[in-house]
Amino acid sequence: MSVLTTTNIDHYCVFGNPIHHSKSPLIHAMFAEQTGQVIDYQTRLAPLDGFVETVRMFIAEGGRGANVTVPFKLEAFTLANQLSQRAQMAGAVNTLSFVDGKIIADNTDGIGLVRDITQNAATPLRGKRVLLLGAGGAARGALLPLLQEQPALLTIANRTLSKAQELQNVAQALSFADVVAKSWQQLDEASKQSFDVIINATSASLQSEVPPIPAHVFASTSLAYDMMYGDTVTSFNRYAQQCGAKTRDGLGMLIEQAAEAFFIWRGVRPDTTRVLAHFRTKGSV
Ligand code: ATR
């Protein structure tokens, strides 16, 4: 008998490198306790050149599912036998289910972002003007769930304009017309328009940098959302606050993407409000 199936507990994990900092085990333990689900959820450090082997080992041990984080989301996409539409659109995978010898993959990051904005921050996106900053993996993962909320306009601005245009093309291929691609400079030159929601999907905050966007994109009623989070206010949110906007960091997105993964695996939706309140300390709406 394999290692993990010697108990009646269903086993899950998160693969990453590094992974020791992950909040996911605690989040899923709280979800499990709340919903009466009997699961075990651990971190698994995968070697940078050994992701596939580490996943196969976990499956062989009887693992039921897993989350995938940096830097393996693209490899997980390639490994999957079956991809959800969200995963296909994102080009990356953060949730795996191991069912009947198959690896079924999804991406819950974008829906996690949208739920945190629309439900937890009570900020509807329908009919709103949305500015998405960045055109890498994080922005691409958010694209479909954002468009499904039917904003009046989605402007994608990026340091490298061609990458923003690629995302614009992806959106237009899905018949989402009101998507505009801009460079930082074009954003500055545009009419002094503000946006209802400004989402930072660049990795600039990791280097304590702020994309050079003009202050006029923020209004006092705008919600500025940084997908990053930390113990202190992120550099992007500090700038947005100086420009008079309300701010929110990505902690709620982290918890909502986990909740969607939990739902995929267990068919039960946890109450994220209580878990978010537990983790929330400062600096956000
Ligand atoms: P992730 O998976 O976090 O999205 P990524 O795919 O490497 O990472 O994408 C990083 C994004 O952050 C890109 O949009 C990148 O801009 P470029 O496409 O021009 O490279 C953006 N980015 C990274 N550092 C930045 C900085 N200091 N200022 C502004 N944008 C930055």
Side-chain angles (χ1 to χ4, degrees), residues 228-247:
M228 301 280 162
Y229 62 89
D231 294 337
T232 54
V233 179
T234 66
S235 45
F236 174 78
N237 278 357
R238 202 173 318 115
Y239 174 60
Q241 285 167 6
Q242 285 162 6
C243 297
K246 297 176 287 180
T247 59

Side-chain angles (χ1 to χ4, degrees), residues 103-141:
I103 300 176
I104 299 170
D106 206 333
N107 189 313
T108 66
D109 286 328
I111 192 67
L113 168 76
V114 164
R115 290 220 176 101
D116 193 43
I117 292 173
T118 58
Q119 295 176 14
N120 301 339
T123 305
L125 292 165
R126 194 185 174 98
K128 297 295 177 63
R129 303 165 57 79
V130 178
L131 174 60
L132 180 63
L133 304 171
R140 185 169 168 168

Side-chain angles (χ1 to χ4, degrees), residues 134-139 158-160 163 184 201-204 207 209-212 228:
N158 194 44
R159 183 171 62 184
T160 311
K163 284 172 71 182
W184 299 146
T202 74
S203 50
Q207 304 122 43
E209 289 178 6
V210 182
M228 301 280 162

Side-chain angles (χ1 to χ4, degrees), residues 60-285:
E61 290 170 14
R64 298 286 301 272
N67 286 128
V68 180
T69 189
V70 177
F72 299 122
K73 290 184 183 184
L74 298 180
E75 258 188 281
F77 180 90
T78 318
L79 181 65
N81 302 115
Q82 199 176 305
L83 292 160
S84 70
Q85 191 198 15
R86 296 188 297 211
Q88 285 173 38
M89 268 291 293
V93 154
N94 79 332
T95 302
L96 301 173
S97 304
F98 309 127
V99 183
D100 299 333
K102 284 210 177 101
I103 300 176
I104 299 170
D106 206 333
N107 189 313
T108 66
D109 286 328
I111 192 67
L113 168 76
V114 164
R115 290 220 176 101
D116 193 43
I117 292 173
T118 58
Q119 295 176 14
N120 301 339
T123 305
L125 292 165
R126 194 185 174 98
K128 297 295 177 63
R129 303 165 57 79
V130 178
L131 174 60
L132 180 63
L133 304 171
R140 185 169 168 168
L143 192 60
L144 181 64
L146 280 174
L147 289 168
Q148 285 173 333
E149 292 298 301
Q150 299 182 305
L153 171 71
L154 178 67
T155 297
I156 305 167
N158 194 44
R159 183 171 62 184
T160 311
L161 175 61
S162 60
K163 284 172 71 182
Q165 287 166 333
E166 274 171 39
L167 287 197
Q168 180 190 29
N169 291 340
V170 170
Q172 285 177 342
L174 289 165
S175 303
F176 290 102
D178 293 324
V179 179
V180 174
K182 287 198 158 103
S183 63
W184 299 146
Q185 199 186 348
Q186 288 169 333
L187 201 57
D188 198 19
E189 286 163 359
S191 57
K192 301 276 179 212
Q193 62 180 15
S194 62
F195 291 82
D196 300 303
V197 178
I198 302 101
I199 300 163
N200 181 25
T202 74
S203 50
S205 286
L206 282 178
Q207 304 122 43
S208 300
E209 289 178 6
V210 182
I213 51 169
H216 67 72
V217 304
F218 301 101
S220 59
T221 50
S222 303
L223 175 67
Y225 192 106
D226 197 343
M227 287 195 192
M228 301 280 162
Y229 62 89
D231 294 337
T232 54
V233 179
T234 66
S235 45
F236 174 78
N237 278 357
R238 202 173 318 115
Y239 174 60
Q241 285 167 6
Q242 285 162 6
C243 297
K246 297 176 287 180
T247 59
R248 189 171 180 87
D249 68 18
L251 183 61
M253 175 181 173
L254 172 78
I255 290 165
E256 292 297 340
Q257 64 76 28
E260 184 68 13
F262 191 88
F263 177 72
I264 289 168
W265 294 328
R266 311 301 300 181
V268 190
R269 249 179 222 295
D271 174 5
T272 51
T273 320
R274 280 161 53 195
V275 178
L276 184 53
H278 174 87
F279 281 95
R280 178 64 72 205
T281 48
K282 54 184 167 292
S284 296
V285 292

